[in-house]
Amino acid sequence: MIGPGASAAELIAHLQTLRSEEKITGMTRFGIVTGTALGISNPDLKKIARLAKKDHARARQLWLSEIREARMLALYTAEPKKLTRADACRWVKDLNSWEIVDCAADLFVEARLDDLIFQFAADEGEFVRRTAFAMIAGAAVHRKQDPDEALLAWLPLIESHSADPRNFVRKAVNWALRNIGKRSRYCHAPALALAERLAVHPDKIARWIGKDAVRELTNEKVMGKLK
């Protein structure tokens, strides 16, 4: 039985019993890297995480396994208050798929490691840079008590990386811009102004980001939800 006292080795052994070749195949259709995958869905991993409870030392051990599901479980059971900059900088170098990036970004946001956003954005690694913008996108939604100005401060970084042609970066840059714009009426105008500027940018990637963001930020339903 998986419980709070389960070790990393016991959790990994349990995960191995749940291996599904069919689900591994299905994951590839969503662009998930499956080289070390066991084929366990994230909802099922979250159930295991709730049983195992938080344990930061164990999360570090789970990460070392290199198994996709063990690393996802590490992110779900790590303790944000104990997560260090060294942890984040070490883990981010191992990220190799959009889904684990986005999960890690949520943890880093909860741990309030915002100072790493500039560092990650400056990194040339596709998934490291995606982490920076996934963090901004997540903070815009989850950090409701933060002042709007803190989110608007990321707009210049979004603009500076708007021409990155790599698929997982450009989508995250777009995501960050849209989420800031949808955060509040105060954030909407500056975000929309940037989106409109990008929509006529000479670079085609920046234009795509801008046009897509303008489309969403001028949507009546979106505007109707702004507070």
Side-chain angles (χ1 to χ4, degrees):
M1 181 67 181
I2 297 300
S7 68
E10 288 170 333
L11 286 172
I12 291 170
H14 178 66
L15 293 174
Q16 295 281 9
T17 68
L18 303 176
R19 184 182 181 93
S20 169
E21 295 297 334
E22 182 180 355
K23 289 182 179 178
I24 291 173
T25 301
M27 287 176 176
T28 62
R29 292 196 289 270
F30 292 95
I32 296 171
V33 175
T34 58
T36 64
L38 300 174
I40 305 170
S41 71
N42 290 341
D44 285 342
L45 288 172
K46 288 179 180 178
K47 291 178 183 177
I48 295 171
R50 286 194 290 271
L51 292 172
K53 306 298 184 185
K54 302 282 187 181
D55 185 326
H56 199 69
R58 187 186 61 201
R60 286 174 173 151
Q61 294 175 340
L62 286 168
W63 192 267
L64 294 175
S65 74
E66 300 186 5
I67 299 168
R68 170 200 171 267
E69 284 75 4
R71 284 185 166 173
M72 292 294 287
L73 198 58
L75 296 172
Y76 290 144
T77 59
E79 298 174 70
K81 291 183 179 180
K82 293 183 180 180
L83 186 77
T84 66
R85 294 179 84 260
D87 287 331
C89 290
R90 185 164 51 249
W91 291 1
V92 78
K93 292 295 185 181
D94 293 328
L95 301 178
N96 64 350
S97 188
W98 65 266
E99 56 142 12
I100 197 165
V101 165
D102 297 353
C103 185
D106 283 344
L107 175 63
F108 299 165
V109 165
E110 192 174 354
R112 293 193 168 271
L113 297 176
D114 299 14
D115 60 310
L116 290 176
I117 290 176
F118 279 115
Q119 179 179 324
F120 291 165
D123 194 289
E124 290 299 325
E126 181 175 8
F127 292 109
V128 179
R129 185 169 290 173
R130 180 185 172 90
T131 303
F133 294 99
M135 286 177 70
I136 296 171
V141 173
H142 301 301
R143 299 256 286 270
K144 299 184 185 301
Q145 302 307 313
D146 286 9
D148 286 340
E149 288 82 357
L151 275 300
L152 293 177
W154 297 117
L155 290 180
L157 190 67
I158 289 172
E159 185 169 14
S160 67
H161 290 287
S162 62
D164 191 314
R166 293 172 295 181
N167 186 49
F168 293 112
V169 176
R170 69 183 178 92
K171 287 185 175 180
V173 172
N174 172 263
W175 182 25
L177 177 56
R178 289 185 290 107
N179 276 12
I180 291 175
K182 293 186 292 183
R183 178 180 169 90
S184 67
R185 288 195 177 276
Y186 185 81
C187 287
H188 182 265
L192 179 58
L194 173 55
E196 290 174 336
R197 191 158 66 248
L198 292 178
V200 293
H201 195 281
D203 183 87
K204 66 178 183 180
I205 301 299
R207 286 200 304 275
W208 175 84
I209 289 172
K211 289 178 180 179
D212 187 72
V214 167
R215 189 179 304 112
E216 182 162 2
L217 296 180
T218 55
N219 180 280
E220 289 185 8
K221 289 184 178 179
V222 170
M223 296 184 70
K225 293 179 180 178
L226 293 174
K227 296 180 180 179

